[in-house]
Amino acid sequence: MSISYQKSRLRQLLLLALQKYQPVCPLCSGEFTKADLPSRGSDKLTEHHLNGAHTDSCLDNRVIVHRRCHKRLHS
């Protein structure tokens, strides 16, 4: 199996997981799409800590958000 095929399968798995468990960005309510998935050199998704404590890494405190929404929230 080639590396590019494995990356493609991983991207598809990530998209399916997002659509099943967290289908929208909690900051903008926009749906996650294939275009949001990490590609070479660009990350359009990031993690947001709901309570603001970056040391609190429990799953209930962490959500996936669009990077642009996260920047807008913290600026």
Side-chain angles (χ1 to χ4, degrees), residues 30-69:
E31 289 187 6
F32 293 116
T33 65
K34 267 189 179 178
D36 295 325
L37 294 178
S39 62
R40 185 174 296 168
S42 66
D43 257 352
K44 295 181 181 179
L45 301 176
T46 191
E47 176 183 55
H48 174 64
H49 292 82
L50 295 172
N51 68 3
H54 292 265
T55 55
D56 182 2
S57 293
C58 75
L59 289 177
D60 293 338
N61 184 41
R62 297 163 30 186
V63 292
I64 302 295
V65 296
H66 293 115
R67 184 170 297 281
R68 67 182 179 272
C69 300

